[in-house]
Amino acid sequence: METRVALLSIIVEDLSSVKPLNDILHLYSEYIIGRMGIPYQKRGICIISIALDAPQNTISTLSGKIGKLKGISVKTAFSKIKSN
């Protein structure tokens, strides 16, 4: 199956959505290469980056599920390189 490397950029503005976010990420843990979270206390938000290697439809599905959570914004950047 063809996979792509992608980066999800997530901003959490409603901290009550952190648990549902982590639950979703756990379901996709086999595709996660790495994760970095930065709490920005001055603004009361969290900034999270998730590096993935997964099929494009899996990445899009994950991004869509995260984007439906209250108080969360997500953007996805894809690598142009595809692998089998």
Side-chain angles (χ1 to χ4, degrees), residues 1-21:
M1 180 180 297
E2 186 174 87
T3 65
R4 294 184 73 180
V5 173
L7 180 68
L8 295 182
S9 300
I10 303 166
I11 297 179
V12 180
E13 296 175 342
D14 185 341
L15 298 181
S16 70
S17 293
V18 170
K19 169 116 174 63
L21 172 61

Side-chain angles (χ1 to χ4, degrees), residues 7-12 15 17-18 21-22 25 34-40 45-51 66 72-75:
L7 180 68
L8 295 182
S9 300
I10 303 166
I11 297 179
V12 180
L15 298 181
S17 293
V18 170
L21 172 61
N22 284 327
L25 292 175
R35 173 180 173 168
M36 178 181 64
I38 303 169
Y40 189 24
I45 63 173
C46 294
I47 303 161
I48 303 169
S49 297
I50 309 287
I66 292 170
I72 292 186
S73 301
V74 61
K75 296 291 180 187

